Amino acid sequence: MDIQDLRQRIDAIDRELVDLYCKRMETSRLIGEYKRQNNLPVRDSERERALLNKVVDLAGEENEQGIRALYQLILDQSRLRQQMDARPQSALGQMIGETFARTPSLFPEKAPVACQGVEGAYSQLACEKIFRYPSITYFRTFADVFTAIENGQCRYGILPIENSLAGSVNSVYDQMIRHHCYIVRSARIRIDHTLLALPGTKPDRIREVCSHEQALQQCSAFLAARPEWRVNVCSNTAAAARMVRDSGRTDMAAISSAHCAPLYGLDILETGIQNNSNNHTRFICISKKPEIFPGANRTSLMLVLQDRPGALYQLLSRFNAQGINLTKLESRPIPGRDFEFMFYFDLDVSVASPSFTRLIEELDATLDQFTYLGSYSEVI
């Protein structure tokens, strides 16, 4: 037999497989109706284990792994069919729809906004990129920003979430787990680190440098070439610039933005000292209540999966089935819980897409711990 004959055989088998799959899903629907009428649970773990063992025996040792993976997916789809057919729109799906309908068509130009740091911080630059006329209140920590949003002191908050060189800002992810706020917009800011010092400071006299830990990581090569410098971690790059100004010392410098030089009366000693010129930080704008503005094409989720083989694979197959692209997947340990992880997802999909609606309904129906963080667009 040549390749065309073999492909024709595959095509015939595929038609049979599709037909059998459709018949199985229809039968699953009927089983779901029976279970609802007789108050039976959708999942029958004993039955599923017995079925998996049976099909593995039928497939033989050579096909054991493949048939097990295939049937785990089939069983997952069968349970979903039983759950979804008689399930009304979820409270989450309804909330997203209602939020999208009531949110104004234009993002506000001015609003009270909470930022971490002091005047000149990169969060301020992100804030001014998102809002035209923000009224900014500065807070010492990321946790303080979340608290200001939750207690109504500010309507919005600006927080860094990830950097293209240093990775995710883990402390913000931890706060996202503890606080329930919604992302309403994001912005990408180019980061150009500079070395700032008091006027008259000579580079060869510097003995101490201060900055935020993320900025220090982003300038690690520059610092490694100067091992005699003592590194001092600050809460913010702008706070580091202010510290140098207030110290009056000419043996101390800050890694900060050029924007801070005129603000704090400092000189720029060196520019572009980060490891890579392609250095960007992504900031999120959070609010206490959900707001979904027109053009929202990114959604963020947090969820906890069962600790069992294939759990993440089965979840990812749902995104693939709906044709939804993942732009970020990260796991974070859950504070106070041993060996349990929260998964953070960014989805590249319009909030108005039917595939997005179907995915949200599926996740809400099948996951025990699932948090919707918001749908929004990004300012670049």
Side-chain angles (χ1 to χ4, degrees):
M1 299 178 69
D2 63 19
I3 187 67
Q4 293 303 323
D5 294 328
L6 293 172
R7 285 174 174 170
Q8 288 177 6
R9 179 184 292 185
I10 287 288
D11 289 343
I13 294 171
D14 286 342
R15 285 192 292 271
E16 293 180 36
L17 285 174
V18 171
D19 182 57
L20 290 172
Y21 174 82
C22 293
K23 290 178 179 178
R24 197 186 201 286
M25 290 300 105
E26 174 59 20
T27 304
S28 294
R29 185 187 66 79
L30 296 174
I31 291 174
E33 289 183 0
Y34 179 88
K35 288 179 177 179
R36 285 190 295 275
Q37 292 170 3
N38 293 273
N39 295 317
L40 298 174
V42 168
R43 184 159 200 166
D44 186 340
S45 298
E46 183 179 356
R47 158 74 178 168
E48 290 186 9
R49 283 195 301 272
L51 176 58
L52 282 173
N53 290 334
K54 181 178 70 174
V55 296
V56 165
D57 289 341
L58 289 171
E61 185 175 349
E62 182 180 0
N63 295 310
E64 176 180 349
Q65 297 302 320
I67 204 70
R68 185 181 296 276
L70 174 63
Y71 263 83
Q72 284 175 335
L73 180 59
I74 290 174
L75 289 172
D76 185 49
Q77 291 297 310
S78 296
R79 286 194 303 272
L80 185 62
R81 178 63 59 91
Q82 293 178 29
Q83 290 171 318
M84 297 297 292
D85 280 355
R87 190 175 188 267
Q89 184 183 30
S90 68
L92 175 59
Q94 185 174 354
M95 182 276 284
I96 292 173
E98 291 176 350
T99 299
F100 187 47
R102 72 166 181 263
T103 301
S105 58
L106 294 177
F107 195 82
E109 290 189 332
K110 54 184 179 180
V113 184
C115 290
Q116 186 269 340
V118 297
E119 189 75 18
Y122 283 108
S123 59
Q124 175 198 335
L125 303 182
C127 181
E128 292 173 345
K129 192 169 186 177
I130 292 174
F131 298 94
R132 191 172 184 181
Y133 308 111
S135 175
I136 301 176
T137 302
Y138 292 101
F139 293 87
R140 189 176 63 86
T141 67
F142 295 143
D144 292 338
V145 173
F146 278 94
T147 300
I149 302 307
E150 288 186 325
N151 64 23
Q153 186 175 352
C154 294
R155 180 178 174 183
Y156 298 107
I158 304 293
L159 297 157
I161 195 71
E162 62 180 330
N163 176 263
S164 57
L165 301 183
S168 298
V169 185
N170 293 330
S171 54
V172 172
Y173 279 102
D174 292 340
Q175 294 298 326
M176 296 276 284
I177 295 174
R178 296 189 183 100
H179 301 268
H180 197 165
C181 295
Y182 294 92
I183 304 173
V184 299
R185 186 140 294 192
S186 64
R188 194 174 298 270
I189 299 294
R190 180 179 175 85
I191 305 297
D192 287 310
H193 290 309
T194 59
L195 188 68
L196 307 181
L198 285 171
T201 299
K202 303 296 184 183
D204 58 356
R205 297 290 301 277
I206 293 174
R207 293 294 176 265
E208 182 177 350
V209 64
C210 55
S211 192
H212 186 266
E213 59 181 346
Q214 283 265 329
L216 295 171
Q217 292 176 33
Q218 294 161 23
C219 301
S220 58
F222 176 80
L223 294 172
R226 296 156 179 82
E228 70 277 11
W229 289 5
R230 184 164 65 90
V231 174
N232 188 357
V233 177
C234 298
S235 61
N236 188 269
T237 55
R242 187 175 66 178
M243 179 185 296
V244 170
R245 180 200 65 182
D246 295 344
S247 72
R249 293 168 52 186
T250 57
D251 65 343
M252 186 178 184
I255 294 177
S256 187
S257 69
H259 182 68
C260 285
L263 281 176
Y264 296 106
L266 303 177
D267 284 349
I268 298 176
L269 301 186
E270 291 196 49
T271 62
I273 63 175
Q274 63 269 15
N275 297 346
N276 192 308
S277 60
N278 185 26
N279 186 13
H280 295 81
T281 293
R282 183 168 164 248
F283 289 82
I284 55 174
C285 178
I286 62 171
S287 69
K288 184 176 182 179
K289 295 181 179 180
E291 298 176 2
I292 304 175
F293 292 90
N297 58 0
R298 183 190 293 259
T299 292
S300 295
L301 311 171
M302 285 195 304
L303 52 90
V304 178
L305 297 178
Q306 293 182 358
D307 185 14
R308 59 179 176 82
L312 181 58
Y313 167 78
Q314 291 178 21
L315 174 68
L316 294 177
S317 69
R318 297 189 189 279
F319 298 122
N320 180 62
Q322 299 295 345
I324 294 176
N325 182 41
L326 288 177
T327 58
K328 186 176 182 66
L329 166 57
E330 179 144 349
S331 63
R332 291 287 301 146
I334 301 175
R337 294 162 64 175
D338 293 338
F339 306 107
E340 288 195 59
F341 291 83
M342 177 75 75
F343 289 87
Y344 180 96
F345 291 85
D346 279 347
L347 315 181
D348 180 16
V349 60
S350 169
V351 71
S353 168
S355 60
F356 170 76
T357 302
R358 287 193 295 268
L359 177 70
I360 290 296
E361 292 295 329
E362 288 184 13
L363 296 180
D364 199 44
T366 56
L367 297 176
D368 294 330
Q369 299 184 59
F370 166 52
T371 303
Y372 169 77
L373 297 176
S375 298
Y376 52 96
S377 59
E378 183 164 288
V379 181
I380 299 176

